[in-house]
Amino acid sequence: TEAEHVALVALLPEAEIRNFFGLRLSRFPDSFRSEVSAYFNLPFDYILKRALHMGAVSEEVAEENRSNRQPIRATALRRPTSRRAA
């Protein structure tokens, strides 16, 4: 949808997306998906959609990588806790 496209453009700058998808990859290993997802703090499928809108990946590659995949979410880092009083 148009609203989704506008939101993705705002959240995912083209230059940063091109840094990740500039090599025209056809497969995205879990480690890549996880790293990109953590960098943008968004599920990989949204990032893949933005790359598709920009032409950084083909429709075929995007569809292939969307099907039968568990979404990889960025994991929030926990703050270290100390048992000692500050």
Side-chain angles (χ1 to χ4, degrees):
T1 66
E2 183 64 25
E4 181 181 62
H5 180 75
V6 170
L8 291 175
V9 168
L11 289 170
L12 304 166
E14 184 171 342
E16 291 185 38
I17 293 292
R18 291 214 185 272
N19 284 338
F20 285 103
F21 292 93
L23 299 174
R24 304 288 262 169
L25 301 172
S26 60
R27 297 185 61 184
F28 307 109
D30 287 343
S31 59
F32 176 84
R33 294 165 56 88
S34 181
E35 181 182 340
V36 173
S37 187
Y39 180 83
F40 290 108
N41 199 26
L42 288 169
F44 185 76
D45 286 346
Y46 290 116
I47 301 162
L48 189 59
K49 275 186 187 178
R50 173 68 169 129
L52 177 62
H53 292 159
M54 292 172 29
V57 297
S58 68
E59 179 69 45
E60 180 181 323
V61 168
E63 188 58 42
E64 218 172 86
N65 283 279
R66 278 191 296 238
S67 60
N68 299 326
R69 296 292 260 175
Q70 292 278 354
I72 294 179
R73 296 183 196 156
T75 55
L77 298 176
R78 286 198 231 168
R79 276 200 134 126
T81 57
S82 173
R83 294 183 182 166
R84 294 186 290 175

